[in-house]
Amino acid sequence: MYHPEGGEHLPSRIEHGRGHPEPRIYVASLADYNNGRLHGDWIDAAQDPDGLQADIHSMLRRSPTPGAEEYAIHDYEGFGPLRLSEYESLETISRIATGIATHGEAFAALATILGTDDEPGLSRFQDHYLGHYPDIEAFARHIAEELGYEDELQKLPEHLQPYVSIDYQAVARDMEMELHVVENDEGVWLFSTRL
């Protein structure tokens, strides 16, 4: 199995054509919700916990229900495959959203593998992220190209070349045992299992 030395990042074979997502949470006043009203705000999640708390307090102060103090997260976007709870800690939201804003949705994919509280593991994102590919077979082909295996096959005598090839499906099956794989609509995020 190929492991990049020194945590070097392999390029993605899928170009998304867009920047990193902007993770947001919709925070609602529970006092209003319990009184049959919707009152809340979409808040930029990629900020420190104090900034999140300040935005939540601002939303609660504008509540039409006197004494509104409690809130819940009723929706969110830009967190990729990660699922947040209604009462996710602001520290966790800040850590994950900041990572997504920096590294893209692949950071959220890693958080689904490690868990949202694994700060040391998440801080080593670049060491373990191998890229985003249409499938594992495409990753296997990329590695073979990088290592020059296809070029080596071209050095065989011409009469042997039609009989010698790399079975990329088999290579992909073997590689899968050494990878963490998180699927999305456009392919797979791949991470080294050496987390």
Side-chain angles (χ1 to χ4, degrees):
M1 171 68 193
Y2 174 79
H3 293 288
E5 293 181 22
E8 116 192 17
H9 175 73
L10 295 174
S12 173
R13 300 304 268 176
I14 292 179
E15 296 297 327
H16 297 285
R18 60 181 187 263
H20 294 312
E22 296 177 8
R24 302 186 315 154
I25 55 175
Y26 182 80
V27 181
S29 160
L30 289 180
D32 291 283
Y33 183 77
N34 292 335
N35 283 310
R37 280 192 294 267
L38 292 177
H39 175 76
D41 273 342
W42 279 101
I43 296 173
D44 172 16
Q47 57 180 314
D48 64 46
D50 290 339
L52 289 169
Q53 189 67 60
D55 286 350
I56 292 168
H57 281 306
S58 173
M59 177 273 297
L60 291 171
R61 277 194 306 274
R62 293 189 314 276
S63 167
T65 303
E69 296 176 353
E70 296 180 349
Y71 66 90
I73 299 165
H74 282 188
D75 201 359
Y76 52 90
E77 62 184 27
F79 284 85
L82 193 64
R83 301 292 160 243
L84 300 177
S85 76
E86 280 188 305
Y87 301 104
E88 201 76 54
S89 78
L90 297 182
E91 290 76 15
T92 296
I93 290 169
S94 172
R95 177 173 46 259
I96 300 302
T98 302
I100 292 169
T102 303
H103 302 291
E105 287 184 12
F107 190 85
L110 181 61
T112 65
I113 296 166
L114 299 179
T116 57
D117 293 329
D118 186 347
E119 288 183 60
L122 293 171
S123 70
R124 295 190 336 265
F125 171 84
Q126 291 287 59
D127 295 337
H128 302 293
Y129 182 51
L130 299 175
H132 188 269
Y133 294 84
D135 52 37
I136 299 172
E137 188 174 331
F139 176 65
R141 286 181 185 280
H142 174 74
I143 296 302
E145 289 170 15
E146 290 286 309
L147 295 175
Y149 293 163
E150 289 289 341
D151 293 337
E152 290 299 314
L153 292 177
Q154 297 303 312
K155 293 178 184 177
L156 292 170
E158 198 170 311
H159 69 279
L160 290 177
Q161 289 181 15
Y163 303 104
V164 181
S165 64
I166 298 172
D167 183 348
Y168 285 111
Q169 287 182 337
V171 173
R173 278 193 307 273
D174 289 346
M175 283 182 153
E176 191 168 10
M177 292 185 275
E178 298 186 40
L179 297 171
H180 287 294
V181 180
V182 179
E183 296 181 15
N184 74 347
D185 293 339
E186 298 168 328
V188 292
W189 286 291
L190 301 176
F191 299 91
S192 166
T193 56
R194 296 183 304 159
L195 300 172

